[in-house]
Amino acid sequence: MQEGCTVNLTVKYLAKKWTLLILLELYKGEDYNRRFSELRDALGDITPKILSARLRELEDEGLITKTVDASSFPVKAEYRLTESGLEIIDVIKDIKRWALKWKVDNIACGSQDCRDCVL
C-alpha cells in the first residue's frame, strides 16, 4: 500500500488503541460533549497520558474540538465531536453491525443506537 494512500493515512490514527472508544464515549455524552475526567472514568484502564495524546490526535484530525474553561479552578477542558466526528460514528455502527452478523462469539446487542449500547 502506498504511504500516501487515503486508507493508509486514515487507519494510522483510527487504529490506535482507545481512539474509537473515545469517539464512542464522546458520542454518548450530552450534546456529544464530555470533560476529560468523564472520559477517563468511562474508559477505565486508559492512562491520563494516553487519553491526552489520543484527544490531541483526534483534535489535529478535526474529529473533535477542545474548549477550555479557565474561569474556575481547576481548569476544565471539554471535548466535543465535530461534524466529521459525528459522521465517523456511522462507520463505527457499520463495524458493529458487521461484527454482530459475522462473529459468532459476540454478545447480541438489541440497541440500534450506540448511544444506548452497554457492550
Side-chain angles (χ1 to χ4, degrees), residues 65-98:
T65 59
K66 176 182 179 180
T67 305
V68 177
D69 178 8
S71 66
S72 64
F73 186 80
V75 173
K76 295 177 183 176
E78 293 186 336
Y79 299 87
R80 178 184 312 265
L81 288 173
T82 62
E83 184 177 343
S84 173
L86 280 169
E87 281 190 27
I88 205 156
I89 296 298
D90 292 333
V91 174
I92 296 170
K93 288 179 181 181
D94 286 340
I95 292 169
K96 176 184 171 181
R97 279 189 285 280
W98 175 86

Side-chain angles (χ1 to χ4, degrees), residues 26-75:
L26 286 169
Y27 177 67
K28 292 177 183 180
E30 185 176 326
D31 241 359
Y32 312 118
N33 185 47
R34 289 267 178 113
R35 290 183 32 215
F36 183 91
S37 59
E38 293 172 323
L39 288 168
R40 187 192 63 229
D41 293 346
L43 294 168
D45 293 335
I46 194 168
T47 65
K49 181 179 177 180
I50 294 295
L51 179 56
S52 292
R54 294 298 174 270
L55 288 168
R56 208 171 311 114
E57 292 164 359
L58 290 168
E59 188 177 10
D60 289 344
E61 293 299 335
L63 296 172
I64 67 171
T65 59
K66 176 182 179 180
T67 305
V68 177
D69 178 8
S71 66
S72 64
F73 186 80
V75 173

